[in-house]
Amino acid sequence: MTTFLSFLLNGLSLGSLYALIALGFVIIYKASEILNFAHGAFLLLGAYVIARVEPSVGFAAAVAIGIAVTALVALASEQILFSRVRSAHVASLTIMTLGLDVLITTDLTRRIGSSVMSLGQPWGADVVRLGGVNISENRLTAIGVAFVLIGLLFAAFRFTSWGVALRAAAEDPEAAALMGIRQARVGAVAWLIAGGLAAVAAVFLTGSPTPGLEPNLRTIAFAAFPAAILGGLDSTTGALAGGLIVGVAESLFAGYSSDLTFLGGGFSVVVPYVVMMLVLVVRPAGLFGTKELHRV
Amino acid sequence: MELDVSGLQVTYAGVIRALRDIDLRVGTGEIVAVLGSNGAGKTTLLRAITGSLKRHRARVDKGQVTFGGRSLVDAHPADVVNRGVVLVPEGRRVFGRLSVEENLKAGAISVRSRATRAERREKVYGMFPRLAERSGQRAALLSGGEQQMLAIGRALMSGPRLLLLDEPSLGLAPQIVTHIGEVLRQINREGTSVMLVEQNAAMALGVADNGYVLELGRVELSGPAAELAASDDIASLYLGRGHADGTDREAPGKPGGPGGPGSGVGGSGSPGGPKAGTAAQQPTLSRWTPPPRGRFGLLGAGAVTGAGRP
Ligand SMILES: Nc1ncnc2c1ncn2[C@@H]1O[C@H](COP(=O)(O)OP(=O)(O)OP(=O)(O)O)[C@@H](O)[C@H]1O
Ligand SMILES: [Mg+2]
């Protein structure tokens, strides 16, 4: 039982990080109709910047710098690449994001090399006991931080002018423009926020029990894509639910893998995709999605 | 502040000429009705005014659109709103997944002051109590009439000096259409000019000061609304009144009118009814008004001036 709870708690933690990434992916999609496959690269960038500046400025400042740089790079890529070619086909734009992903990832992989960089998280590898369940302090902090940020984002979505404008423009861009909503501005803010969230997720994804920053961080972050899609791609609630489902499922399958050898080793890696496919077969628009994905 | 459209020519995708040589004016404090059948170019005219042509791959080839003396051609839609011109689009286009209140908030996006937003919202709720009752409900769940109220209320949130409406009566019950007419009068009394695009000529000419009739992308007829409403042509074509003794006024010399046949406007359907007499000059009209034998020229009603300004 306690092992189950432990797997569950770790899964929730992983899931809340996936949710942070998936939320960024979803708000970019809602604001710009672009599937941003460079999101994993943004994450890698955030982690790299933090790891590089941490020794000289300390952890807190490093995180702030990492968030700022990643947010600005996300904004810049939107401004330089995507907002100019609005008229291009959605598929072309998506491929462009893949190109950007390869570009950033290749460069960072070269810089990181074969080393494992540390982001210098002050909580290190400490483990907390919570009602008989062991969890790394890193994973526990992740849950707290992620849920605070997600709460703030949901509030912004609901109550701020930006949130209303984004939802209006996502539903009917022409009518939104006729009401004076500037989609370009709404989109720019969305890319900024998404970039910042990716950097935050990077802090925790590179912490214990993960040894540190390695280039494969990007592939870990990839699990957030099926999370976003199974949640419904254009739904923030869906991104949250999808992230948690994928995180918990992955953690449970990894935890019980010794009992599930008939599935083959490393099945947990494909779990996010299997869950996504199962959900989409039953609900093609995803759990909370309103649009079928035919536009992509 | 007045809206001035002069010599306006608009082309879609570089080939489909939807408007040609349109002259039209909405004076300060006026209500102006723009009538025309399907494909006449009414929506295109509104797109030209609101900066929405680009989105539809159309552009202004010639002519001018000015509001308060400044050009609106190629302006961003949001800038047009900031200048005080806002559109209630065809088909209402409320944000169905947003609540009524959020729709109003979306309409007020150009308004900085929170106090002004709240004040306008209360005014809209005062004008449409139904919306106040349903403020938390998703707009998609409103009835058609309520959605039209919301679309109008949403547009009013920006505090427009000129309110444009694209067929607000479409698909609504007669009482609701009457109500919308009253609401527009009230909005106008409070100082907003109104340009009302309609196929429902009875309502539109009932509330308007002046009117224009668009056919095949041209102004076919214009004049004071009362005179247009009294003219036999409008009566027979738009008000559904009979064509009593139409025969004795058979084709009173429409001298190869400007909007000749096949003037390059595409896609609006071909004449469905029998072609007789001057029928070919008004192909779109024949689609929805069964042509009475031999007569449907628009011109000829004495009191009304020909194409051009009132
Ligand atoms: N996006 C577009 N691309 C190409 N042609 C268009 C487009 N929109 C309108 N048109 C053409 O322009 C002409 C005028 O259309 P418009 O929509 O302005 O007419 P309308 O008077 O608003 O008609 P309705 O009463 O049906 O709304 C039509 O011939 C139409 O086919
Ligand atoms: Mg129209």
Side-chain angles (χ1 to χ4, degrees):
Chain A
M1 191 59 201
T2 52
T3 40
F4 173 77
L5 284 179
S6 163
F7 293 156
L8 187 66
L9 196 57
N10 275 291
L12 281 176
S13 172
L14 190 61
S16 62
L17 296 175
Y18 286 158
L20 277 185
I21 305 168
L23 274 168
F25 190 69
V26 163
I27 60 174
I28 285 179
Y29 176 73
K30 278 179 85 91
S32 320
E33 286 205 0
I34 291 174
L35 293 173
N36 175 35
F37 285 108
H39 221 64
F42 291 164
L43 202 93
L44 197 58
L45 175 70
Y48 176 76
V49 171
I50 295 171
R52 276 302 296 272
V53 302
E54 191 271 338
S56 37
V57 300
F59 179 70
V63 169
I65 293 172
I67 290 173
V69 169
T70 314
L72 289 174
V73 167
L75 176 66
S77 39
E78 191 261 351
Q79 298 281 303
I80 296 166
L81 294 177
F82 305 120
S83 72
R84 281 162 199 257
V85 287
R86 263 265 137 71
S87 52
H89 194 274
V90 189
S92 321
L93 292 173
T94 302
I95 304 291
M96 275 174 77
T97 69
L98 278 173
L100 182 66
D101 180 70
V102 171
L103 212 74
I104 297 178
T105 309
T106 309
D107 184 57
L108 290 177
T109 306
R110 185 177 54 78
R111 286 167 191 270
I112 297 168
S114 55
S115 61
V116 178
M117 296 174 81
S118 166
L119 272 64
Q121 292 92 335
W123 47 81
D126 298 354
V127 172
V128 205
R129 258 188 102 68
L130 207 71
V133 176
N134 284 334
I135 182 166
S136 72
E137 199 173 322
N138 177 58
R139 285 276 166 94
L140 197 61
T141 317
I143 296 185
V145 170
F147 274 85
V148 168
L149 288 179
I150 291 169
L152 286 175
L153 184 65
F154 275 44
F157 231 66
R158 243 189 119 64
F159 303 116
T160 67
S161 289
W162 171 76
V164 171
L166 188 149
R167 285 183 292 143
E171 184 172 334
D172 187 339
E174 180 171 21
L178 286 169
M179 294 305 116
I181 291 170
R182 293 176 198 273
Q183 198 169 10
R185 220 172 270 179
V186 173
V189 174
W191 283 77
L192 269 176
I193 291 178
L197 291 181
V200 173
V203 171
F204 297 102
L205 281 175
T206 53
S208 162
T210 310
L213 167 60
E214 293 173 276
N216 76 345
L217 172 64
R218 168 172 156 275
T219 28
I220 295 170
F222 256 56
F225 297 146
I229 287 168
L230 83 85
L233 197 55
D234 64 343
S235 160
T236 44
T237 318
L240 174 57
L244 293 179
I245 290 171
V246 164
V248 169
E250 191 179 328
S251 168
L252 289 179
F253 274 93
Y256 289 112
S257 59
S258 53
D259 303 327
L260 298 168
T261 43
F262 63 93
L263 290 171
F267 184 74
S268 64
V269 177
V270 301
V271 161
Y273 299 91
V274 174
V275 176
M276 173 189 78
M277 285 184 233
L278 289 178
V279 169
L280 289 190
V281 166
V282 182
R283 283 185 64 94
L287 292 177
F288 295 90
T290 48
K291 289 179 221 166
E292 314 249 323
L293 305 181
H294 56 76
R295 288 199 298 183
V296 182
Chain B
M1 292 282 229
E2 64 173 44
L3 176 79
D4 214 313
V5 176
S6 62
L8 184 68
Q9 178 167 315
V10 170
T11 311
Y12 282 100
V15 287
I16 304 164
R17 188 156 298 161
L19 294 179
R20 43 180 72 211
D21 202 22
I22 299 279
D23 289 315
L24 178 146
R25 204 180 76 89
V26 182
T28 312
E30 264 187 351
I31 302 186
V32 167
V34 177
L35 306 174
S37 51
N38 295 112
K42 307 181 295 297
T43 300
T44 305
L45 174 59
L46 293 173
R47 283 180 186 149
I49 298 169
T50 56
S52 315
L53 287 177
K54 200 171 160 201
R55 183 180 288 277
H56 295 273
R57 296 196 300 128
R59 66 185 159 77
V60 171
D61 301 319
K62 268 193 222 151
Q64 263 305 324
V65 179
T66 61
F67 184 66
R70 288 168 60 201
S71 173
L72 291 180
V73 175
D74 293 333
H76 187 278
D79 291 324
V80 176
V81 174
N82 285 338
R83 303 257 296 270
V85 179
V86 69
L87 170 68
V88 179
E90 186 171 8
R92 316 187 242 287
R93 306 277 285 269
V94 295
F95 303 114
R97 278 183 258 151
L98 271 56
S99 70
V100 167
E101 185 122 355
E102 288 171 340
N103 268 273
L104 296 182
K105 201 165 174 175
I109 222 84
S110 59
V111 182
R112 286 280 156 81
S113 147
R114 183 186 288 261
T116 310
R117 284 200 300 257
E119 187 186 307
R120 291 203 181 130
R121 188 182 58 221
E122 290 320 308
K123 210 165 157 190
V124 167
Y125 283 154
M127 195 177 278
F128 306 114
R130 296 284 290 167
L131 296 183
E133 287 163 27
R134 289 157 188 261
S135 62
Q137 210 171 79
R138 278 179 164 216
L141 302 177
L142 300 178
S143 73
E146 289 161 352
Q147 287 189 5
Q148 189 57 260
M149 309 290 161
L150 179 56
I152 294 173
R154 182 180 65 175
L156 290 177
M157 290 299 291
S158 65
R161 281 187 274 206
L162 170 61
L163 180 67
L164 313 168
L165 300 102
D166 197 348
E167 301 201 35
S169 76
L170 200 70
L172 300 183
Q175 311 94 286
I176 298 176
V177 174
T178 311
H179 179 51
I180 287 177
E182 285 161 6
V183 162
L184 294 181
R185 271 222 178 92
Q186 186 192 337
I187 291 168
N188 179 248
R189 269 197 305 276
E190 289 169 13
T192 305
S193 314
V194 175
M195 177 168 156
L196 173 59
V197 164
E198 265 297 346
Q199 294 204 34
N200 184 333
M203 187 272 261
L205 293 177
V207 300
D209 303 306
N210 291 308
Y212 292 79
V213 177
L214 242 56
E215 281 312 328
L216 293 174
R218 288 177 191 273
V219 174
E220 278 291 337
L221 205 58
S222 66
E227 290 177 19
L228 284 177
S231 86
D232 288 345
D233 306 286
I234 297 280
S236 57
L237 292 166
Y238 290 92
L239 300 178
R241 280 187 236 140
H243 290 266
D245 49 40
T247 37
D248 61 340
R249 297 170 57 240
E250 183 96 17
K254 183 174 157 91
S263 46
V265 184
S268 61
S270 54
K275 283 191 184 184
T278 55
Q281 285 180 326
Q282 299 302 334
T284 54
L285 292 179
S286 61
R287 201 167 90 187
W288 62 288
T289 311
R293 241 158 285 125
R295 164 164 164 68
F296 36 121
L298 268 172
L299 298 177
V304 181
T305 62
R309 286 152 189 259

